[in-house]
Amino acid sequence: MQMEELVALCRRRGFLFQSSEIYGGLNGFWDYGPLGVLLKRNVKDAWWHDMLVGHNEQKLQPGAPSLYEMAGLDSTIIMHPQIWKCSGHYDLFHDFMVDCRESKKRYRYDHVKGRWVTGLKHGEGGEPAAETRVFVTTMDTENTEDALKERAAHFFGLRKKDLDSLVWEGPLTDISALDDLSRVLGPDAKHPGTLTEPREFNLMFKTTIGALGGEDDAAFLRPETAQGIFVNFKNVCDSTRVKIPFGIAQIGKSFRNEITPRNFTFRSREFEQMEIEFFCYPGESADWYRYWRDRRFKWYTDLGLASEKLRLREHEQAELAHYSKGTADIEYAFPFLPEGDFGELEGVAHRGDFDLRSHMEGKLVREGDRLVLEKGPDGQPKHRGSGKDLTYYDDQRKERFVPHVIEPSSGADRATLAFLCEAYHVDSVPTAEKKEDAQRTYLKFHPRLAPVKAAVFPLVKKDGMPEIAAEIYGELKEKMSVQYDEKGAVGRRYRRQDEIGTPFCVTVDGQTLQDGTVTLRDRDTLQQWRVKKDELMGELTDRLGK
Ligand code: GAP
């Protein structure tokens, strides 16, 4: 599948628009249009239902070590700045970036990828050609090899047919693997050696609280929803009387000032997360980690992500975040990535007691296999915690301890994008329906995710058919998202619904006037069958599932 085709469909049919488009757009920000908002809401509702409200705490879930409870939360985007100091985001949440002195562009250090290439190059003043070795780079992740060839052709002043004279070395790597950048041809530069040395860049958006605007009033837009859960741990325990093991779930916006936002909504500066912090006994945390890893993976496959494009990848020890004892990523082979590459949809992390202890004691650092309070140059704690008691007292075991945490952290926008990519189909098999069109494009969404569940058409705009269709539309609309369409040939109307992924179309035709039945048509099989008008609601709800 070509990503550009999906991006064009998303824009044309109102799934996604570039933010502030009429002013030229804003890089890294996206608006969900009328269908996109329904799709993303369905993704979030499915998550909220399956993880939280539909969870039966009296029934052992398959694979779970024991019964458990779940609670919901909606915390604020701007929180006390000390939270980010204790969580580590203030000191550690940064990426390395390089600037290009020539193009004036800024790139994330580990996103600039390229290869060494040697060829003959004439000097600027027409000097004779000399052998030149340069590390050619690109930011194009989809057609990387072609983009590199094009960049090299341009640099060496070669025509396409002469490209064979170049000698390429080594695999594609990012520039963070190089010792020095002086022979690197930046992604948009004409000359090598224009990239600066990498510099740290904090990804949190800074803002100011109140009118005075001094440094003491500085605050941050949250870069993750997780910390809102940790700082409310005690409140939830005290107000709901949940017992360990239990989880707190939250869906909400997060903000990261990404250096190179790209790949449609995959890496945005404003996005939504769906996070669970699951609090458990330290001795049982390894079992809960495995439970959540497998459970979250299954959630995606149950909603239609094909298993060969989805994978579970355990992090190597060196890859683990500073707080984590174990992390697995759930990854999807997005079509904009080079062949064989996967992009993260969700991380499932074993966070130990790092977060609750940090919010009690202050910012912690690892010393061997212990977490200790980080000290400043004066020997005092670098960032003080709240000083509040965030331990848990187990009245059955008669013990007090800091619970361990398993965190399944997923992105609503990335999940929505993966469901869109997976759903995109172009079907060229001729069928009776496709007399006029050689191809049909359809989004094969899981019925729970489809933004529109059914469309109702009168076959023609006469003989009372529009009235009956409008009545059916009104009845269905009270229960589900439905569209009414009477414009154009019925084949075209089917095509319009296929393109937005509507699972079922209902057509009122001549036979409806005689026997009260309507035609129901399935998006994927293209099968059509007749259903009594009165039984339509039941038939649709059965077929749509939950
Ligand atoms: N609390 C842990 C945490 O935030 P993360 O891996 O940084 O972990 C979790 O983020 C998920 O949030 C990612 O797997 C991804 O789905 C989503 N996410 C992170 N950064 C994103 C971005 N810039 N744009 C869109 N989604 C993003």
Side-chain angles (χ1 to χ4, degrees), residues 254-270:
S254 292
F255 301 81
R256 296 182 189 179
N257 201 357
E258 299 282 358
I259 298 163
T260 42
R262 58 182 176 165
N263 291 335
F264 210 14
T265 56
F266 182 80
R267 191 173 302 286
S268 316
R269 289 177 165 142
E270 174 176 340

Side-chain angles (χ1 to χ4, degrees), residues 365-479:
V365 281
R366 197 169 282 286
E367 209 177 79
D369 48 7
R370 286 183 326 131
L371 285 172
V372 296
L373 204 56
E374 188 176 4
K375 302 264 174 62
D378 56 359
Q380 294 300 310
K382 187 166 180 206
H383 298 303
R384 282 179 199 282
S386 65
K388 297 282 184 298
D389 179 9
L390 302 181
T391 56
Y392 176 86
Y393 182 69
D394 191 313
D395 46 15
Q396 287 193 328
R397 297 188 182 192
K398 304 275 180 256
E399 55 175 309
R400 181 170 290 286
F401 61 97
V402 184
H404 275 208
V405 171
I406 310 301
E407 177 193 71
S409 169
S410 119
D413 306 85
R414 282 197 193 169
T416 304
L417 185 58
F419 288 124
L420 265 167
C421 293
E422 185 74 29
Y424 187 86
H425 281 75
V426 178
D427 192 347
S428 55
V429 184
T431 69
E433 241 188 49
K434 283 187 278 168
K435 282 188 186 118
E436 327 117 40
D437 303 325
Q439 287 193 325
R440 90 177 169 122
T441 302
Y442 63 112
L443 294 179
K444 199 173 169 182
F445 289 125
H446 187 284
R448 287 180 76 192
L449 302 183
V452 178
K453 308 296 180 197
V456 187
F457 313 146
L459 184 64
V460 288
K461 278 198 269 181
K462 57 181 186 184
D463 301 335
M465 290 184 209
E467 289 76 10
I468 299 173
E471 197 184 320
I472 294 174
Y473 166 75
E475 282 164 14
L476 293 179
K477 198 152 175 72
E478 287 184 17
K479 293 275 186 291

Side-chain angles (χ1 to χ4, degrees), residues 141-142 263 266 332-344:
T141 52
E142 230 179 305
N263 291 335
F266 182 80
Y332 182 73
F334 284 98
F336 47 76
L337 298 173
E339 185 76 27
D341 274 13
F342 286 74
E344 181 187 323

Side-chain angles (χ1 to χ4, degrees), residues 60-66 68 286-292 294-295:
L60 189 65
Q61 304 297 321
S66 67
Y68 66 90
D287 292 340
W288 282 113
Y289 167 66
R290 282 189 289 276
Y291 166 73
W292 279 107
D294 299 344
R295 168 120 198 258

